[in-house]
Amino acid sequence: ILAPAQHPQSSNAPYGLAISGIPLVLVDRFFPGTNFVGANDVKIGYLATKHLIEQGYRRIAHLRGPNVSTAQGRLKGYIKALRESGFETRTEYIVEAQFHDESSGSKAVKKLLNIRPRPDAVFAASDPIAIGALEALIESGYRVPEDIGLIGVGNHRYGRYLRVALSTVDQHLIEIGQQVAGLLLGLIEKRTSKIKPRVILLDPKLVARESSGGRARAIASRRHSKSAGASLRGV
């Protein structure tokens, strides 16, 4: 079982293992012509971006990952959702960060805050990127989701416990692991490499929480709070 860290064009290691006859299944990063199990990254990007659009956000930015298949797929889904909804893709709204580095998310979102017009929502390619972005937004005085909506990817177990519960897209990691093990055991039992490679893509699931609550609902809630406060003062 191999989780490549490189782009397919920069490494031949998986192909060498496959040719050698060693039973091989790739996970998370896709290389053409190999057995693979992972989430449908295009659908991940599409689902996250479409959700932000449906919540009322219109200037949606993307904190993408490095140049690997997962990041490329999520970027394609992001662009697809924008185009289907009639929104332009602005290159300055796409900033690269590192999948597992919260600080890179913080630095990346600060670049977005200097753009005019400022984005009103951010789709981060991973939960760690989103968590770093959330911290930077709060420290900079922005309210999430009232001023800027936010969604990540991964459904990390601690995402719901943040100061603003993080919306995310669930990749079904446990099921991916089960599928990988089952596919590998099948290859071992057949003891042959002359089998057409299988590609298993799992459909992602949206997990909507507070951070992508939507501008309309957030503004309505704030107005309701002000109205209630005024009523109390009147009493």
Side-chain angles (χ1 to χ4, degrees):
I1 299 173
L2 184 64
Q6 305 94 343
H7 186 275
Q9 296 177 352
S10 65
S11 174
N12 291 319
Y15 302 117
L17 288 171
I19 292 171
S20 72
I22 296 173
L24 173 67
V25 179
L26 301 190
V27 62
D28 196 40
R29 308 284 168 82
F30 176 67
F31 279 54
T34 60
N35 295 292
F36 173 78
V37 180
N40 188 320
D41 288 299
V42 175
K43 284 189 176 181
I44 286 175
Y46 181 87
L47 191 64
T49 307
K50 194 71 173 179
H51 170 66
L52 292 173
I53 292 170
E54 290 171 349
Q55 293 299 97
Y57 299 103
R58 293 296 177 263
R59 300 186 305 276
I60 301 170
H62 178 39
L63 299 183
R64 59 162 297 171
N67 191 30
V68 292
S69 63
T70 44
Q72 291 172 343
R74 293 169 197 182
L75 175 61
K76 288 180 182 178
Y78 161 78
I79 293 172
K80 179 182 178 182
L82 290 180
R83 288 178 175 172
E84 279 190 9
S85 298
F87 299 133
E88 64 176 322
T89 303
R90 300 183 54 164
T91 55
E92 65 269 32
Y93 278 6
I94 302 172
V95 180
E96 184 173 323
Q98 299 301 314
F99 277 130
H100 307 292
D101 184 1
E102 289 85 353
S103 64
S104 74
S106 176
K107 293 176 183 176
V109 83
K110 287 178 180 178
K111 293 180 181 179
L112 293 175
L113 296 178
N114 291 321
I115 298 173
R116 294 294 178 268
R118 172 182 54 75
D120 63 359
V122 175
F123 159 45
S126 73
D127 279 357
I129 293 174
I131 290 167
L134 176 62
E135 181 182 23
L137 289 171
I138 292 174
E139 288 179 351
S140 299
Y142 292 93
R143 298 167 300 171
V144 178
E146 294 93 336
D147 298 326
I148 300 179
L150 180 64
I151 188 169
V153 178
N155 198 18
H156 284 212
R157 64 185 183 277
Y158 47 78
R160 71 183 73 177
Y161 305 116
L162 300 172
R163 279 186 283 178
V164 180
L166 182 64
S167 293
T168 187
V169 179
D170 192 340
Q171 300 166 265
H172 303 296
L173 296 179
I174 292 176
E175 188 175 347
I176 286 175
Q178 292 171 338
Q179 293 278 2
V180 168
L183 181 54
L184 182 62
L185 288 172
L187 293 172
I188 292 171
E189 290 171 359
K190 291 174 183 176
R191 296 182 180 278
T192 176
S193 61
K194 296 180 180 180
I195 300 174
K196 185 178 179 180
R198 288 189 61 192
V199 175
I200 301 174
L201 296 179
L202 280 69
D203 284 334
K205 177 183 177 182
L206 176 70
V207 181
R209 297 192 182 108
E210 185 182 355
S211 70
S212 65
R215 297 187 70 185
R217 275 193 283 171
I219 292 171
S221 176
R222 192 163 66 251
R223 286 175 178 170
H224 175 74
S225 297
K226 289 181 179 179
S227 176
S231 297
L232 287 172
R233 287 193 295 272
V235 173

